[in-house]
Amino acid sequence: MDKLLIEGGRRLAGEAAISGAKNAALPILCAALLTREPVTFTNVPQLNDIGTLLKLLGQMGVKVSRDGDAVTLDASVIDNPVAPYEMVKTMRASILVLGPLVARCGEARVSLPGGCAIGARPVDQHIKGLQAMGAEVQVEHGYVHAMVPRLTGARLFTDMVTVTGTENLMMAACLANGETVIENAAREPEVVDLANCLIAMGARISGAGTDVIRIRGVESLSGTTHRIMPDRIETGTYLCAAAATGGEIRLTRTSTAYVDSVVDKLMDAGCDVTSERDAIRLKAPARLTSVSIRTSPYPAFPTDMQAQFMAINAVANGAAMIRETIFENRFMHAVELQRLGADIRIDGNTAVVHGVERLQGATVMATDLRASASLVIAGLVADGETVIERIYHLDRGYERLEEKLAALGARVRRLT
Ligand code: UD1
């Protein structure tokens, strides 16, 4: 299994281009299931998760063609509206096929995602929403089996803010009979990107980006072309990597518009961040000041940036408190960071990090996607060599990581 070797202690400097957002691309690719006409997406990142989803769509009957960062999907025929366990278990976001399949085919069988490294993550809200729209849903033999001749618009209220839940129900409602209102909807920019794509396909959606989304169902949707938004978590991760190393970088093909809460914290930590048209510049002090964070749904601080901030606090001046309110088991990177010499204490959903002068390179293990990003950041600042095992987690979400880091002056090598 591939490993990543990082020689720490080099200041990041230079320019890197940010890829399209994984978490926008996944739902948007699923939206192609809603139409018989071909749809073309650009700025699609080349990541393992995207490959998994395209394979999943392919085995349903969707014709998939890829050309660089462009993907064209032709779902004129869907002959197998099933998402098997083997595929869903590697990627929870496969649940995003459920809403579009039910809406388009009147039936879907999607494996339950089950637990994952960062917590139980149930899909009860997705199911509850489809039931409210008239679907008959049974959970049997580990599969969600949903059936309905045509969904009916309904007033939906999710118990908590759920990103993929909102996306699934918004897609399903596009072809429903009548109006659907999703209350307590997720406001993430990826939800807005999906809504914009659906609107370009002929959907009638208003309110995306607020917590009340209204969808007036239509008979059918048409093909379109859509450019995927920049990846705000990749953006934030590179900003943190540069900040931790006392670096100075410019990130292109992205914008501060998507990362306000992260930029705000980096400025509190002592960084100078400037916004340009489709680019961000960051200049870090020699040593950061620690910053406390609390994760919450957008526009508050994202849980997907929590691990990276634990890494930067590990070497900052002072102590910081990190509170995780979205997932119940998302501190697994802490023990790995401790192996590198970090001073972190965990109590329930709170971590207290006392910054140390130096981390020391060691062998550590990636446990999930964003946890692995925090280990990369720590490895970049640690003395000596850090080896990160199980980097397939990184490959799920960071396109051409070694190449981009090398362009910024890091010494990073994949060991195969
Ligand atoms: C999405 C993102 C993920 C991010 C997360 C939170 C994608 C593909 N993934 O995941 O990177 O970390 O949002 O910003 O976009 N919940 C339930 N029942 C449900 C649905 C959710 O209890 O039916 C709970 C979850 O266990 C979690 C919380 O709600 O505690 C939020 O989860 P959710 O927003 O659904 O996360 P994902 O959409 O899976």
Side-chain angles (χ1 to χ4, degrees):
M1 236 179 278
D2 288 7
K3 299 174 185 177
L4 199 68
L5 172 73
I6 304 176
E7 279 177 53
R10 293 171 69 89
R11 187 174 165 266
L12 294 194
E15 200 166 288
I18 293 302
S19 302
K22 171 179 86 80
N23 284 356
L26 292 170
I28 288 173
L29 291 169
C30 292
L33 290 167
L34 290 164
T35 175
R36 292 177 183 281
E37 297 180 14
V39 198
T40 298
F41 307 106
T42 57
N43 205 30
V44 178
Q46 300 214 1
L47 298 168
N48 287 358
D49 273 11
I50 300 293
T52 304
L53 183 68
L54 293 178
K55 225 159 96 186
L56 179 63
L57 295 175
Q59 64 85 44
M60 291 175 188
V62 178
K63 291 191 204 92
V64 178
S65 53
R66 275 182 104 152
D67 180 14
D69 74 359
V71 173
T72 299
L73 299 179
D74 174 348
S76 47
V77 178
I78 301 171
D79 45 26
N80 182 34
V82 177
Y85 175 69
E86 287 312 314
M87 288 183 169
V88 177
K89 76 169 183 200
T90 62
M91 189 182 61
R92 188 189 139 79
S94 313
I95 193 71
L96 283 164
V97 299
L98 179 64
L101 281 180
V102 181
R104 169 83 188 282
C105 309
E107 181 171 12
R109 273 171 58 82
V110 178
S111 171
L112 280 171
C116 72
I118 63 173
R121 299 178 85 177
V123 291
D124 54 311
Q125 302 302 311
H126 304 233
I127 294 174
K128 188 177 92 169
L130 290 176
Q131 282 172 329
M133 294 167 81
E136 201 181 299
V137 184
Q138 262 143 22
V139 179
E140 50 191 13
H141 305 296
Y143 277 75
V144 180
H145 186 196
M147 281 174 72
V148 63
R150 186 175 180 194
L151 292 165
T152 313
R155 206 172 184 86
L156 310 178
F157 185 89
T158 54
D159 294 356
M160 75 291 293
V161 176
T162 154
V163 179
T164 50
T166 301
E167 293 165 343
N168 231 340
L169 298 173
M170 181 166 73
M171 287 191 279
C174 287
L175 295 180
N177 187 15
E179 190 187 53
T180 299
V181 180
I182 307 175
E183 300 202 39
N184 202 23
R187 293 179 283 168
E188 266 68 2
E190 292 78 11
V191 174
V192 178
D193 203 24
L194 170 64
N196 288 339
C197 175
L198 292 166
I199 291 167
M201 292 165 72
R204 295 175 62 189
I205 301 173
S206 61
T210 75
D211 59 3
V212 182
I213 303 179
R214 287 172 196 277
I215 308 112
R216 189 165 282 281
V218 295
E219 291 293 325
S220 65
L221 294 177
S222 50
T224 189
T225 59
H226 180 84
R227 184 177 171 79
I228 306 290
M229 66 174 283
D231 196 312
R232 64 192 169 99
I233 306 301
E234 189 196 22
T235 302
T237 302
Y238 281 97
L239 291 177
C240 282
T245 64
E248 183 170 1
I249 62 165
R250 180 167 182 268
L251 299 177
T252 60
R253 299 172 70 172
T254 186
S255 157
T256 51
Y258 310 112
V259 285
D260 277 340
S261 60
V262 169
V263 164
D264 201 51
K265 288 293 175 185
L266 286 169
M267 289 169 79
D268 286 351
C271 297
D272 191 8
V273 183
T274 47
S275 175
E276 298 173 8
R277 199 186 142 83
D278 297 327
I280 306 176
R281 251 178 218 284
L282 175 140
K283 188 169 187 294
R287 190 168 184 206
L288 298 170
T289 304
S290 55
V291 279
S292 291
I293 57 163
R294 178 178 184 278
T295 66
S296 261
Y298 190 86
F301 192 90
T303 173
D304 286 350
M305 285 300 303
Q306 179 256 104
Q308 297 88 322
F309 269 74
M310 193 178 283
I312 69 173
N313 278 315
V315 288
N317 191 13
M321 186 124 83
I322 297 184
R323 285 191 63 203
E324 172 59 56
T325 76
I326 309 284
F327 294 112
E328 73 268 29
N329 187 23
R330 209 175 194 182
F331 281 149
M332 280 160 328
H333 42 281
V335 275
E336 301 299 315
L337 291 170
Q338 282 164 347
R339 291 178 53 74
L340 299 172
D343 178 353
I344 303 168
R345 268 166 233 163
I346 308 278
D347 182 9
N349 72 348
T350 304
V352 179
V353 186
H354 287 271
V356 295
E357 291 273 345
R358 313 219 54 87
L359 295 177
Q360 305 101 42
T363 297
V364 287
M365 198 199 299
T367 49
D368 67 66
L369 169 55
R370 306 306 169 185
S372 53
S374 76
L375 299 178
V376 171
I377 294 169
L380 290 170
V381 291
D383 293 335
E385 290 186 350
T386 295
V387 175
I388 306 177
E389 297 194 338
R390 300 201 182 168
I391 55 159
Y392 55 84
H393 288 294
L394 269 176
D395 297 334
R396 290 185 52 201
Y398 291 93
E399 189 180 46
R400 300 196 310 272
L401 178 85
E402 302 101 283
E403 203 184 297
K404 291 187 189 186
L405 283 175
L408 295 171
R411 287 225 176 100
V412 182
R413 197 150 47 88
R414 184 176 287 251
L415 308 174
T416 48

